[in-house]
Amino acid sequence: MFKISPEPIAPAALQRTLADARAGACVTFEGWVRNRNEGQPVLSLEYEAYAPLAEKEGGRIVAEARERFALLSAVCVHRVGHLQLGEMAVWVGVTAEHRGAAFDACRYIIDEAKARVPIWKKEHYASGATAWINCAVRGEHAIP
Amino acid sequence: MITVNVQYFAILREQRGLAQERLATAAGTPEALYGELRARHGFTLPADRIRAAVNDEFVASSASLRDGDRVVFIPPVAGG
């Protein structure tokens, strides 16, 4: 399951949905809003998603993880809206019989989600400036 | 000419100044339509940094557009 959430993420409730007597491992990942990016002080982050396609593509990533790794369950929730420092932007939780599959699948889901799901973030800096991450260009050329 | 619905997100929404619009175009592909809109609205991202979606599914930038399609141009993503 992959969900876009305009409401704060509730990790305890999400983790309870993973409860399974067959599971010997549960790995969770929380992505938090931090106060610095590439040397610039960050005050807050705004997340925006193209929700219908984000949930479709996110669902495909979760399905891929279930095919590649011996999982019992996998869930990812990504927040949208204006988030303050310390708030949770994304939560991934997976269960498996054994820890290896659980660690690997959790990593796979967050890495693929960052690379593929249509979600954008805008950083608000202490200077008052803002920037959409990965969208900078110089003239006709992308800044790598 | 066909009529399509275009939805904008993130940097494109800000540069366009609105979240969606219905427009008539002679463009036959997402790539051609992005070129047309970029010229009109001064979008900073070049076409090679943009992916396209039609009716809530990713498509090639050379896919054929049809009358009534819902088109979304996807700037580089940055979730997590």
Side-chain angles (χ1 to χ4, degrees), chain B:
Chain B
M1 296 285 271
I2 55 170
T3 301
V4 295
N5 295 289
V6 181
Q7 237 183 311
Y8 300 100
F9 290 96
I11 193 170
L12 292 177
R13 178 178 49 72
E14 290 187 349
Q15 291 180 346
R16 177 63 188 93
L18 48 76
Q20 52 187 332
E21 65 181 332
R22 197 175 154 78
L23 53 90
T25 180
T29 65
E31 189 174 23
L33 179 58
Y34 184 75
E36 183 182 310
L37 294 171
R38 187 181 185 218
R40 194 178 306 159
H41 304 298
F43 297 148
T44 51
L45 284 164
D48 64 3
R49 307 265 328 269
I50 297 283
R51 290 187 75 186
V54 171
N55 303 331
D56 297 338
E57 198 47 84
F58 289 114
V59 298
S61 59
S62 58
S64 292
L65 289 178
R66 293 184 178 81
D67 198 54
D69 277 347
R70 286 179 299 112
V71 182
V72 177
F73 295 109
I74 300 175
V77 304

Side-chain angles (χ1 to χ4, degrees), chain A residues 47-50 52-53 56-57 60 78 89-90 110 114-122 132-137 139-140 142-143, chain B residues 7-14 38 44-46 48-49 51-58 70 72-80:
Chain A
Y47 284 93
E48 183 171 336
Y50 171 17
L53 186 53
K56 244 188 232 182
E57 184 70 358
R60 284 191 280 255
H78 202 297
V90 59
I110 187 61
K114 285 174 76 91
R116 291 164 48 187
V117 176
I119 297 172
W120 302 275
K121 64 170 162 268
K122 183 188 201 178
W132 288 102
I133 299 310
N134 297 340
C135 291
V137 290
E140 284 294 296
I143 297 171
Chain B
Q7 237 183 311
Y8 300 100
F9 290 96
I11 193 170
L12 292 177
R13 178 178 49 72
E14 290 187 349
R38 187 181 185 218
T44 51
L45 284 164
D48 64 3
R49 307 265 328 269
R51 290 187 75 186
V54 171
N55 303 331
D56 297 338
E57 198 47 84
F58 289 114
R70 286 179 299 112
V72 177
F73 295 109
I74 300 175
V77 304

Side-chain angles (χ1 to χ4, degrees), chain A residues 6-59:
Chain A
E7 308 299 329
I9 296 171
L14 285 169
Q15 194 163 335
R16 278 196 297 276
T17 68
L18 299 180
D20 187 328
R22 297 167 297 170
C26 173
V27 172
T28 63
F29 170 81
E30 297 181 359
W32 296 358
V33 176
R34 70 162 179 270
N35 69 356
R36 260 189 126 64
N37 190 29
E38 293 177 3
Q40 286 218 71
V42 171
L43 293 184
S44 63
L45 284 185
E46 241 178 289
Y47 284 93
E48 183 171 336
Y50 171 17
L53 186 53
E55 291 189 340
K56 244 188 232 182
E57 184 70 358

